[in-house]
Structure formats: structure tokens, C-alpha cells
Amino acid sequence: MIKNKNLISKLSLEEKASLLSGKSTWETVNVDKVIPSMFLSDGPHGLRKQSGAADHLGLNASDLATCFPTAATLANSWDAEMITQVGHALGNEAKNLDVQVVLGPGLNIKRNPLGGRNFEYYSEDPYLSGKFGAAMIRGIQSTQTIASPKHFAANSQEYRRMASNSVIDERTLRELYTTNFEIAVKEGSPKVIMSAYNQINGTYANENAYLLEDVLRKEWHFDGFVVTDWGGDNNHVAGVANGSNLVMPTLGLNGTLELVDAVNSGELQEEVIDERVDELLSVILESTAVKKSPVEINWEKQHQIAHKAAEESIVLLKNNDDILPLKKDTKVALVGDFAETPRYQGAGSSLVNTKNLETITESIKNYQLNTVGFAQGYMRANKKTNEEQLRNEAIELVKKSDVAIVFLGLDEISESEGADRKHMRIPAAQERLLDELAKTAIPLVVVLSAGSVIETPWVNQVSALVHGYLGGEAGASAMLDVLTGRHNPSGKLAETYPVKYEDTPFADEFPAKKKDSFYKEGLFVGYRYYNTTNKKVRFPFGFGLSYTTFQYADLKVNQEQVSLTITNTGTTAGAEIVQLYVGKKDSLLVRPAKELKGFTKVYLEPGESRQVTMPFDDKTFRYYNAQAHSFEIEDGNYQLYLSGNIEDVRLSSEIHVSGKKVQNQANLFPKYFSHQISDITLADFSDLYGEKLSEDNNTGILKLEQNSTISDMAFAKSWLARLVSRYLSHALKKSESRGQPNLNILFIYNMPFRAISKMTNGAVSSQMVDGMLQIVNGKFWRGLIKLVQEFYINKKKIKNRTV
């Protein structure tokens, strides 16, 4: 049913079509005195509004804003209420800057530790991701600002991100890669959803009627609008026909004419355009674009919220001999570049122009420690200039201290939008520094800054290990609060730390270098793999230490909930995160051994006890039946594990749950059923997927098409195209050597040819791109003639047709 029928009836077909593409990089189209323009802005962990020159990669300056901890950091708090507070603060800043839509939170599952945007996502677990996404959405939208969770769905790699096909069996898609969005939509009620760049089982996410219509709107009852990722439109007509409402950035007049021509030819019904426009207008007309209501920002209060969020998210991973918290007047040496120039956020579209950035070297003056000095210790990006001198200076400084606090982690080039990580180690210069410092026999407290999982083969060399992830602008004082005992750390990991990258399922296949990315591991992602196969890990999912201890007791179970009593048995006030995992040992289905189905964070004074309750919900016992295309419950007994982390089971019980009888999958998918995940072949995955799959064996010279990437020019017939490809590759390597990712080159390198027409405001038509493709495919003169002809045709079309 059309909600805005009267308004839509007054619009011409061209006016309606124009509304379904942006007006500029960040704004939607307005119709004078009838429909206002909305402003959309990046902002998963801080607002990135560009009032001046605009781009979607974080290249140009944006307005000053509070930089909150990234999603990967906030997830370690396991504190939905606090995340809602961050969302509220973020929404207020958006309102202050007249931004209607914040493009976040990021909800994608961390399928692989090397995913380039893992710092923007919450977890490897869909339940946790969904709960925290919903919390952030509620916070943002409590201010009348609109949240836009992203990227829907199965957006797992940055390499070829606009031309990659995620091949996933239906059960895995629904249990892992859409359950996160389901929880966020049902519990957060976002008004906007951003679709992903990638294809899912051969269909672009932005044209995927199963995702956008059947699942999102009909099953989950989403009543907002769908926006593309920037440049993520493949076929504008197909997108509109299958549930997408808004293409960003602008397609110029060409986008309008594509839809008008499709209606006139009968390819698209005008009623469908009316539906898409109605869904879009329903949000615009309820937004602050209609009624401006700016708020006064208390920047100090915003900073305090950022501080509290960072503090609650810090994870204590090791604390030998209770070296932490540091005692008053301890002589400490500060070592590591991050102490003076912090790594506190990611790179790319989420880059925040920070309002009030703290550093360790400045903030430590407010603490009762005897600081003997600071030594840089290493150069960023593995630059070896003066490395030995910097290392020797650090060694001499450490010898003067009682404890050395060493600041290590991933530098800017190590993790960024547009590129997946090459390995899981910290830079080699930092490892060399740590090796030498360990020889001094001075206790080492390592503080990590990183947005994603790292290997820690050096962990036995240090007395304590504290992980601040990417803590935002107030991360320095938050870390010092933990190191000195002003705050008892309560964070726990929302992702697994394997011993080494090679322990990850199908490690050598990520990222997929060709079009198809086969999700052969199925359900066995993150702890679902490590815990089920008993693979040793460095730090398990849900792990984190405290300065106090907790006792679990009095477990009670009924058909609706579990309850237990938690007691702080130590001498320090603190918080414990109680985790509920569910398993079914005698299941006839392929299943992980345990899955997270509940959690609660409990704050207790020394000696205090409290009863906590975790109710079951519709996701506690369900699985997805791919044959019936619905969620069901397998009849039988289930094990309940109340745990400090996935491996630390404190209490357990069993409950019978009524459900349906299921078909035994032992013979259908034998390797999956017996958890021989590392032995799975493409043929095994084909059985699970439901049809025969094969590798893309294209080698040598390729015929490039609209959905071929710019990087594919390395295999083009034209020597000129191959030369351009070599230049781009050289430019990328040069930026890596400088330690700063060239986001513009990265974006171009991985984008398909079709994106040229999607990212140029209509100045380049799809037909002009066809001419370019003829050139790179070895037909230089024919392609050049077509390119020039289509240029004038496009120019004339734009001149003669205006909306």
C-alpha cells in the first residue's frame, strides 16, 4: 500500500525516477517546496561530514567530530547499554551538523582474520554482532538521526570487493551472514539498510530480491529504504525492480533516463518506481530534513562518553605475578611510537577528523607514576631508517626503569578499507625491538593498538599484555586508568586469536583472487571452527582477565531461561561477562559444538553476589532448514554452558526442547558432520551448496567486460592496458613503502569498469565504458571511435533532457 499516494501522484515520471539516485556525493535529490534533500554521512565510530570537497574514501578533510572507539573495540565491552550511549552521542553530533543519516554500524561477520575492514565490524559471531548493532541503532535513532547498518550481506573481503561473488550454502547464509542483520533490524528498527558491493550466489546484493524483498521486507518487516554502497550499483533498473531504493553517489541524469526508458519500453512497471519512491519518501518526510532541530554539543561530555567506551572495551590478556595494576611511583619507561602518535582509528571512509585527541606521553602526567622518559623504538611501516639507533635508545631507557610499557600494534598500512591484510603479524621492526627489550630482564607490559586479530608468538617474553584495540580519541587516558588500577579491566574478546594464521580454515584461499569466493567452511567460522575441532588457540573467543575473581553458582534452568548467582570473590570491584553457549551432542545435523546464545555483564563490589537471568529467545535453539527454507528446532536434549569464555565452562546443564525430527546428515555431508573441515574439497562443498561448482580456470589473456576489475587489465590484450595496470600496481607498492595506504588507487584497482559510469555524476555513460573496453580488449581504433561518439551522444542527451 502506497503511504504517500497524493504526493507521488503530483510528480512526473522523471521526477520520481530522479529521486532514486543521489543529487551529489552525500545528498539526496530534492523537489522544491515539496521534498527536502537528506544528507548522508559516514560515521560508524564518529561523524565524517565533508562540508567542502567531497569524496567517499576519507581523502578530503571533514568537520571536527568526536572519535569514538571502533566497532571491533566496542564489541569487547559486551555492554549493549554503553554502545547505545555511544550511538546517542553520535546521533547528536549528526543532528548538530544537519546530517540525517549516519552510515553505520558495520555488521559484517569476520569470516577471516585478514579481512581489511574487520576493525569496522563487531565480531565473528552473528548473535553478538546483531545485539551490538541493534544497540548502536537504538542510540543513534533516539536523537531522530537515522542509522544505516551495512553491508547487507556476506561482504567478507576487500580485494575485488565490487566484483566478487560470495558463494554460500543457504543454511550458512541464514545462520551466520544474515542473523546479525535480522537481530539488528528486529531489535533496532533502522530506517535505512546499506546493501553490499558483492554478489551473493551470482546475484549482486543490491539486485537480490531474495535478500531485499523476501527476507528483509517480508520476513523481517523492514519498513525503511535500501541504499547502495557508494558506487555499488550494478544495474540500476534491476536494483529498483528487486528492492533497492537509492543509488549513491549521484548517477546524474543518466540514472533518471535509465528508469524512464525502462518504463517506456515495458521492462519496468511505473508502479514499482512508485513503491520504491514511497519507501524512500516515508523516511525522508519523517527525518530532520523536514524539521531542523540542531542541538548544542557539549564536547567535554562527548569526550567522557568516548573515554568510558574505550575503558570498558580494554582487554587484559596476560598479567603474570599481578604486575598490573602498576603501583604508585613505579619508575616506568614509555617505549613505542604509538605512545606519542597513537593509532586510535582505522583508515578509509570511516576516518574521523578528531576533536580532542589524547596521547599517552601527555596523559601520563596526570597519573602517579615516575616516568623516566619516552623512546620511539621503531619506525612505522617497517621503515629501517635509524632502526638500530631507535632500538638502542629504547634499550638504554628501559634499563633505567622498574617496568617498561611498550606500545605495539598494527600501523596504518596494515589494515585499511580497500585492501585485505597480507599476514597476521605486527611489523617486523616491532618484533625485533621486543626481542632486544626482553634481554634486559626488566618486566615488559605490552599495550596493543590494532583493529583486528594478530599473532603473538612473543607473548612469553612479556609480563603483561593489554589490548586497547582502536580506542578512539580518549583511548590514552582509558588505557592509563587500567594500567594504574583506576579502572578494573572487564573487556573480553569478541573474536578468536589463533596461534598462527595458518590455523584459520582455508587460510590460503583468502582473499579469493578470482570472481568466486567459496565459503567452503560453512558454519565453521571463528570459534565455531576452533572449539569444535579442538584446535589450540592463543586466546579463545570471550577471553579476558580481571584484577578480581568471580564465582559461578546455583544454576537453575527451566523452559524459558537460565539463572545463576555470580559472586565477586576478590578484593577489587569489577565486572564479569557471563556467556551462555548452547550445544547438542547427539544432533543429527551438521553443527558446531557450541554457539553463543546469551550474555550479561555484571558489576559487583568485593564480596557482593547477584542473581542474573538470561531468557531464551527465538534464536536459542533454532537452525535453518534449507530444504524447507525456514528456521526450525531439532527435537531433543540440548546442553547449556555458562562460561567465562568459550573454553572456560563454569556451570552446565541439559534441557529437552520439543521440535521436529530431522534427517540424519552424517551420510549426506560426511566431512562436515565429522568436523573434518580442513579436508573439505570443492566437491564436498558442492554437495552442501546443492549444485555442482567449479573453479574459474581462466588464465592468460582475458576478454574484459563491464564487471571485470581495473586490476584485470594485467591480463588484457592491449599492451596499453597492461602498462596502466603495472603503473597502478607500482603506485600501490609505493604507498605501502610510505606507510600510508593510497585509498584512491586501492579503490580504482579493485573497482569494475561499470563503476566508471556510476562514479562520474553521469559524465561517463555505460556506452562510453563499452568503448573503453573495446580499447583494452585490443580494438584500439574501433573502441576510440565508439568512445568519442558516445561522449557526444551522452553530452547531447544531458543537454536536451533535464528533470
Side-chain angles (χ1 to χ4, degrees):
M1 182 176 123
I2 303 294
K3 297 178 183 177
N4 303 285
K5 189 173 182 179
N6 290 338
L7 176 54
I8 292 173
S9 68
K10 297 175 184 177
L11 302 175
S12 68
L13 174 59
E14 287 197 355
E15 284 177 320
K16 291 185 290 189
S18 71
L19 290 168
L20 301 182
S21 167
K23 180 174 74 173
S24 65
T25 302
W26 301 114
E27 296 170 288
T28 64
V29 168
N30 60 292
V31 176
D32 288 344
K33 298 181 181 179
V34 180
I35 301 168
S37 174
M38 283 202 311
F39 197 103
L40 299 86
S41 175
D42 285 317
H45 59 267
L47 206 65
R48 194 180 74 86
K49 182 180 181 182
Q50 292 176 313
S51 298
D55 70 276
H56 71 291
L57 295 173
L59 301 175
N60 295 316
S62 57
D63 296 338
L64 286 171
T66 305
C67 183
F68 299 97
T70 67
T73 313
L74 292 175
N76 294 331
S77 74
W78 295 62
D79 190 334
E81 183 178 338
M82 186 211 67
I83 292 173
T84 297
Q85 292 174 12
V86 172
H88 183 83
L90 182 55
N92 274 334
E93 289 194 30
K95 207 170 178 182
N96 179 59
L97 288 173
D98 197 21
V99 167
Q100 282 69 50
V101 180
V102 172
L103 301 174
L107 296 181
N108 293 103
I109 297 302
K110 301 182 186 184
R111 179 186 173 221
N112 184 285
L114 301 187
R117 292 182 83 170
N118 281 356
F119 63 89
E120 285 192 53
Y121 304 140
Y122 291 110
S123 179
E124 65 193 33
D125 180 78
Y127 184 85
L128 208 59
S129 298
K131 291 291 185 180
F132 295 157
M136 179 64 78
I137 292 163
R138 288 193 297 269
I140 292 171
Q141 296 194 161
S142 68
T143 66
Q144 297 178 294
T145 303
I146 296 162
S148 175
K150 60 186 185 183
H151 311 86
F152 190 53
N155 182 208
S156 301
Q157 68 178 60
E158 289 297 282
Y159 183 76
R160 295 183 61 96
R161 62 180 180 168
M162 298 175 76
S164 176
N165 179 32
S166 300
V167 184
I168 318 172
D169 69 280
E170 187 178 3
R171 182 181 171 196
T172 298
L173 176 64
R174 295 307 309 274
E175 290 190 23
L176 291 193
Y177 296 99
T178 62
T179 289
N180 43 347
F181 285 95
E182 177 187 0
I183 295 171
V185 168
K186 290 182 176 179
E187 298 183 15
S189 300
K191 294 300 180 184
V192 180
I193 290 281
M194 183 190 289
S195 57
Y197 281 132
N198 52 285
Q199 291 179 322
I200 299 164
N201 297 330
T203 303
Y204 277 96
N206 193 60
E207 302 167 9
N208 198 309
Y210 173 68
L211 283 180
L212 303 186
E213 292 285 7
D214 296 344
V215 175
L216 182 60
R217 287 195 168 93
K218 294 176 183 176
E219 187 180 324
W220 299 346
H221 306 295
F222 172 73
D223 62 355
F225 72 80
V226 175
V227 62
T228 66
D229 202 343
W230 267 233
D233 175 53
N234 170 55
N235 182 315
H236 190 30
V237 174
V240 169
N242 291 296
S244 180
N245 302 86
L246 177 64
V247 171
M248 292 299 289
T250 178
L251 296 179
L253 186 61
N254 282 333
T256 300
L257 297 183
E258 281 184 54
L259 297 181
V260 171
D261 292 344
V263 170
N264 291 335
S265 69
E267 181 184 359
L268 183 67
Q269 298 298 310
E270 187 169 354
E271 289 79 6
V272 174
I273 289 184
D274 290 347
E275 289 178 21
R276 297 292 92 84
V277 169
D278 185 55
E279 291 158 351
L280 178 64
L281 289 182
S282 293
V283 177
I284 293 177
L285 297 177
E286 291 180 2
S287 74
T288 57
V290 175
K291 187 176 181 181
K292 309 293 185 184
S293 53
V295 295
E296 188 80 22
I297 298 297
N298 182 331
W299 292 107
E300 180 56 33
K301 183 179 178 181
Q302 297 289 98
H303 189 73
Q304 289 171 3
I305 293 171
H307 172 92
K308 180 65 174 176
E311 195 172 60
E312 292 292 330
S313 303
I314 291 169
V315 187
L316 179 62
L317 295 172
K318 182 178 181 180
N319 192 21
N320 278 8
D321 302 321
D322 293 328
I323 191 171
L324 296 178
L326 296 171
K327 294 177 176 59
K328 180 181 176 182
D329 295 326
T330 300
K331 287 196 296 182
V332 297
L334 302 180
V335 177
D337 194 32
F338 292 158
E340 187 170 63
T341 308
R343 173 88 204 291
Y344 59 97
Q345 65 173 326
S349 61
S350 66
L351 193 70
V352 179
N353 187 6
T354 315
K355 174 71 176 176
N356 186 13
L357 178 63
E358 298 176 350
T359 68
I360 292 288
T361 50
E362 283 299 312
S363 296
I364 201 167
K365 297 172 184 177
N366 300 319
Y367 294 80
Q368 293 182 318
L369 295 172
N370 182 358
T371 306
V372 299
F374 163 74
Q376 183 178 339
Y378 54 82
M379 295 288 288
R380 270 168 151 91
N382 273 337
K383 292 180 180 177
K384 294 188 177 181
T385 307
N386 300 325
E387 180 183 335
E388 186 175 357
Q389 178 184 338
L390 291 174
R391 190 164 58 236
N392 289 337
E393 289 172 356
I395 293 168
E396 292 307 309
L397 180 68
V398 165
K399 289 177 180 178
K400 301 175 184 177
S401 69
D402 299 324
V403 176
I405 310 177
V406 187
F407 296 84
L408 307 176
L410 299 178
D411 52 25
E412 288 78 3
I413 199 65
S414 298
E415 50 183 349
S416 168
E417 177 182 356
D420 297 299
R421 294 166 63 198
K422 292 181 171 60
H423 55 75
M424 231 172 67
R425 303 183 303 276
I426 60 174
Q430 296 183 26
E431 291 186 335
R432 289 190 287 267
L433 170 66
L434 196 59
D435 283 342
E436 293 303 316
L437 293 181
K439 297 175 184 177
T440 66
I442 300 297
L444 304 180
V445 173
V446 168
V447 173
L448 289 174
S449 298
S452 43
V453 172
I454 61 172
E455 293 174 9
T456 58
W458 37 261
V459 70
N460 291 331
Q461 295 178 319
V462 307
S463 297
L465 180 61
V466 193
H467 205 334
Y469 269 67
L470 300 178
E473 67 175 43
S477 61
M479 180 57 70
L480 287 167
D481 280 356
V482 166
L483 294 178
T484 59
R486 289 187 187 179
H487 179 78
N488 187 352
S490 60
K492 295 196 176 189
L493 296 175
E495 54 192 336
T496 307
Y497 277 56
V499 174
K500 58 185 184 301
Y501 175 65
E502 289 72 20
D503 294 337
T504 305
F506 304 106
D508 59 345
E509 297 182 22
F510 184 91
K513 295 298 190 292
K514 298 178 181 178
K515 176 185 175 183
D516 291 330
S517 177
F518 297 109
Y519 286 48
K520 293 195 293 191
E521 69 281 353
L523 296 170
F524 298 96
V525 172
Y527 73 82
R528 286 170 167 79
Y529 168 74
Y530 300 109
N531 183 253
T532 302
T533 59
N534 295 313
K535 173 73 73 173
K536 182 182 178 182
V537 300
R538 182 72 70 188
F539 301 112
F541 179 84
F543 178 82
L545 302 175
S546 172
Y547 295 153
T548 190
T549 54
F550 299 93
Q551 182 184 71
Y552 294 44
D554 303 325
L555 177 61
K556 295 181 177 65
V557 178
N558 60 37
Q559 294 299 122
E560 296 179 351
Q561 63 188 31
V562 298
S563 65
L564 66 157
T565 300
I566 305 296
T567 303
N568 183 342
T569 54
T571 59
T572 304
E576 172 68 335
I577 298 163
V578 184
Q579 302 158 40
L580 168 65
Y581 295 91
V582 175
K584 193 176 193 312
K585 292 179 179 178
D586 62 354
S587 178
L588 299 180
L589 302 171
V590 173
R591 277 187 189 268
K594 301 173 193 164
E595 296 181 281
L596 182 73
K597 297 296 181 179
F599 62 92
T600 186
K601 192 166 188 175
V602 191
Y603 292 86
L604 298 169
E605 293 295 323
E608 182 184 2
S609 296
R610 187 177 304 166
Q611 186 181 62
V612 297
T613 299
M614 282 182 276
F616 302 142
D617 61 22
D618 63 331
K619 297 165 190 68
T620 305
F621 303 107
R622 75 178 191 180
Y623 80 99
Y624 189 80
N625 185 333
Q627 283 66 48
H629 305 292
S630 65
F631 282 100
E632 296 177 355
I633 293 175
E634 180 184 7
D635 187 79
N637 293 330
Y638 289 79
Q639 291 74 47
L640 308 175
Y641 306 97
L642 283 303
S643 308
N645 63 65
I646 184 69
E647 295 181 358
D648 179 24
V649 177
R650 304 292 187 88
L651 300 171
S652 62
S653 186
E654 192 167 87
I655 185 174
H656 183 272
V657 181
S658 297
K660 295 184 178 181
K661 302 295 181 184
V662 302
Q663 182 181 7
N664 192 330
Q665 295 184 339
N667 295 323
L668 292 174
F669 317 117
K671 291 181 183 176
Y672 286 98
F673 191 85
S674 59
H675 308 140
Q676 298 172 275
I677 309 304
S678 59
D679 296 331
I680 287 169
T681 65
L682 189 58
D684 297 320
F685 178 57
S686 295
D687 292 337
L688 186 71
Y689 183 73
E691 64 180 71
K692 185 174 176 57
L693 299 166
S694 59
E695 297 273 9
D696 176 7
N697 291 318
N698 284 338
T699 56
I701 300 300
L702 300 177
K703 181 181 179 181
L704 304 188
E705 301 172 341
Q706 286 251 357
N707 281 321
S708 300
T709 64
I710 302 299
S711 62
D712 286 335
M713 288 198 299
F715 309 100
K717 190 171 183 178
S718 165
W719 66 267
L720 181 61
R722 297 196 297 273
L723 183 64
V724 171
S725 176
R726 284 197 290 272
Y727 167 77
L728 291 173
S729 181
H730 173 73
L732 283 178
K733 291 178 181 177
K734 191 173 181 180
S735 73
E736 288 177 6
S737 68
R738 290 196 302 265
Q740 290 289 343
N742 189 321
L743 297 175
N744 199 30
I745 297 288
L746 276 173
F747 184 80
I748 293 170
Y749 192 72
N750 284 306
M751 81 177 189
F753 277 86
R754 63 172 164 81
I756 299 173
S757 66
K758 306 293 183 180
M759 299 292 291
T760 50
N761 300 349
V764 177
S765 67
S766 180
Q767 292 76 19
M768 290 169 66
V769 174
D770 287 337
M772 297 177 193
L773 284 165
Q774 286 185 342
I775 292 173
V776 300
N777 285 324
K779 298 176 181 178
F780 180 83
W781 293 111
R782 184 185 300 179
L784 182 61
I785 291 170
K786 180 175 178 62
L787 177 61
V788 172
Q789 288 176 336
E790 294 296 342
F791 169 78
Y792 285 106
I793 291 172
N794 189 58
K795 186 177 180 181
K796 184 178 180 181
K797 181 173 63 175
I798 293 173
K799 182 179 179 181
N800 294 339
R801 293 283 295 272
T802 57
V803 178

